Amino acid sequence: MRKIIAASIAAGSVITFVDPSQTADRDGGAQLAAMCASCHRLDGGDGGIPTILGISPEMLTRAMLAYKSRERPSHIMRGIALSLSDEELATVARYLATLNRQVRP
Ligand code: HEC
């Protein structure tokens, strides 16, 4: 019994450590993008809110900084932009860029 527990703990730690930053980044990006998807549809559909698919990481970052600084007025997006750290912003920008490549043939 003790051996089984030890083995599963060992297996568990292997799973935990097989986590190169690439995987973590993608997962983090997907989580963050799920937050955006409640308004911005991630299937490319446009329900009156501009799509953020096809936006380059540079454009996305620029737009978010403009919302943060009120250079671009939007109560909704200012709140969202302020809630994201620079690192989270970079993560979601990278994720949205890869998503775009997958969605468009
Ligand atoms: C509560 C709804 C809502 C959520 C959630 C939301 N947005 Fe927005 N977003 C909007 C609206 C509305 C606009 C249009 C604002 C304007 O007129 O500038 C917008 C505009 C944008 C733009 C500018 C698009 C363009 O074409 O210029 C970007 C970039 C953007 N959002 C990114 C994001 C990201 C990234 C997230 C998730 C972290 C997110 N948004 C979450 C509602 C939302």
Side-chain angles (χ1 to χ4, degrees):
M1 186 60 178
R2 201 167 267 189
K3 255 186 194 160
I4 293 171
I5 293 171
S8 43
I9 290 171
S13 54
V14 168
I15 291 165
T16 313
F17 289 121
V18 178
D19 190 20
S21 59
Q22 191 99 46
T23 318
D25 189 52
R26 240 196 105 70
D27 291 345
Q31 259 176 24
L32 291 166
M35 180 170 112
C36 321
S38 58
C39 296
H40 297 273
R41 289 178 50 183
L42 296 184
D43 61 2
D46 183 348
I49 293 176
T51 182
I52 50 175
L53 284 179
I55 195 165
S56 69
E58 293 75 25
M59 285 294 291
L60 182 96
T61 308
R62 204 175 306 154
M64 295 304 253
L65 292 179
Y67 286 126
K68 269 193 199 188
S69 67
R70 288 208 179 95
E71 184 191 312
R72 196 171 161 174
S74 164
H75 280 299
I76 297 173
M77 282 311 301
R78 180 167 149 80
I80 305 272
L82 286 174
S83 76
L84 295 176
S85 68
D86 290 351
E87 199 180 317
E88 286 170 331
L89 189 53
T91 303
V92 76
R94 274 197 301 273
Y95 177 77
L96 288 170
T98 64
L99 203 60
N100 178 46
R101 277 202 295 276
Q102 284 167 2
V103 170
R104 291 198 189 154

